[in-house]
Amino acid sequence: MSFPRPNARLHVDHPLGRGMVLSLEVERAHYLVRVMRLKEDDCVGLFNGRDGEWLARLVVARQRKAMVECIEKTRDQVDAPDVWLLFAPLKKSRTDFAVEKATELGVSLILPVRTEFTNAQRITVRRLWLTAREAAEQCHGLSVPEIREIADLSAVLESWPEDRLLLFCDEEKRDTVNLDSFWPEQGKLAILVGPEGGFSPGERNRLRCFANAVPVRLGNRLLRAETAVAAALSIVNIGRLQS
């Protein structure tokens, strides 16, 4: 069955089902009516990370008030790959880029980590989540990754789950595995990208001795941290499709 093409896509927190009418937040109403110039009876795509994607009709379209009615499910829910991204926060725009590309490429969780050479010591989870939400809306994703508060790398390793493999991108490249030739079995996976200054000798030694960790390289070039995020996730996606 073919459905009308929606004029916009929105992530919502509400349950979705045929005939349900949702009242949208003021900011969402402003976006649809003032930014996208939508009117009553225009179509909108909705997703909440649980109930798949739904085609909805705009039944009230005012600047500060918008209501939509779910008409038909257009896609069943498909969860994001069970991949975590751990990365040391960068400058604002570069951190936003990393979160945006991680969402587009598919991760279930984003965990900023504080390392010895991390420059940005603070993050705003809400702002990063909004960046991820917008990326999911634009790339036709069906979920927004969980984003956690920044945590010390040492504390993260101390509580690391035994059933999750950690691939850490080691810019030193000594005794590393080239990621594009390393295809872990389908399962729980995490990718760790360090800060601009790289991992400290102590951090590198601990990671290399960590039972669940594998040091990997992304080719022969030294990549910027945000580029490494996109490159590593792209390689993992290709590998999982081929395995």
Side-chain angles (χ1 to χ4, degrees):
M1 180 184 298
S2 61
F3 299 99
R5 183 178 179 86
N7 302 96
R9 292 184 80 243
L10 294 181
H11 173 271
V12 296
D13 294 329
H14 308 274
L16 299 174
R18 189 191 305 272
M20 296 185 68
V21 177
L22 284 61
S23 180
L24 302 179
E25 300 171 354
V26 172
E27 62 161 320
R28 311 258 80 186
H30 176 84
Y31 171 73
L32 292 180
V33 177
R34 301 293 292 177
V35 178
M36 298 301 295
R37 305 287 186 181
L38 301 190
K39 301 177 181 178
E40 291 182 4
D41 291 329
D42 283 341
C43 291
V44 179
L46 302 177
F47 66 100
N48 61 8
R50 303 180 301 276
D51 301 321
E53 183 173 48
W54 285 78
L55 183 71
R57 181 174 64 91
L58 197 56
V59 294
V60 175
R62 296 200 291 269
Q63 181 176 344
R64 297 183 60 82
K65 182 177 179 62
M67 300 179 70
V68 292
E69 178 184 6
C70 294
I71 301 172
E72 200 76 47
K73 179 185 280 190
T74 56
R75 280 195 293 166
D76 290 329
Q77 183 65 36
V78 177
D79 292 331
D82 191 3
V83 177
W84 294 2
L85 170 66
L86 285 67
F87 77 105
L90 308 160
K91 293 180 180 178
K92 179 178 179 295
S93 61
R94 295 168 64 186
T95 293
D96 290 346
F97 178 89
V99 169
E100 177 184 275
K101 298 311 167 190
T103 303
E104 292 175 0
L105 292 166
V107 297
S108 59
L109 178 131
I110 297 175
L111 174 57
V113 294
R114 186 183 295 106
T115 68
E116 291 187 32
F117 297 154
T118 298
N119 289 324
Q121 297 295 323
R122 298 179 62 185
I123 63 163
T124 304
V125 171
R126 175 65 178 172
R127 182 179 62 80
L128 294 185
W129 185 84
L130 290 175
T131 298
R133 183 182 70 175
E134 182 178 354
E137 291 172 346
Q138 293 183 355
C139 76
H140 288 253
L142 290 176
S143 59
V144 179
E146 176 187 355
I147 300 180
R148 293 185 183 172
E149 293 283 356
I150 190 169
D152 290 337
L153 176 60
S154 58
V156 171
L157 295 179
E158 286 175 4
S159 59
W160 192 256
E162 295 182 357
D163 60 347
R164 186 172 296 273
L165 183 65
L166 176 63
L167 305 179
F168 78 93
C169 302
D170 189 355
E171 73 282 354
E172 191 176 78
K173 296 183 172 58
R174 176 180 56 85
D175 298 327
T176 56
V177 178
N178 201 3
L179 184 55
D180 64 7
S181 62
F182 177 76
W183 305 129
E185 295 181 3
Q186 297 284 347
K188 298 179 179 180
L189 188 66
I191 295 172
L192 169 62
V193 176
E196 295 172 284
F199 296 107
S200 71
E203 290 168 338
R204 182 175 289 107
N205 289 338
R206 182 173 184 185
L207 285 165
R208 284 179 173 270
C209 294
F210 194 62
N212 290 58
V214 177
V216 297
R217 62 182 179 275
L218 305 175
N220 296 321
R221 296 189 178 187
L222 187 62
L223 303 179
R224 290 173 61 144
E226 70 273 23
T227 306
V229 167
L233 289 172
S234 296
I235 294 171
V236 166
N237 280 346
I238 293 172
R240 291 203 160 197
L241 288 173
Q242 294 178 349
S243 63

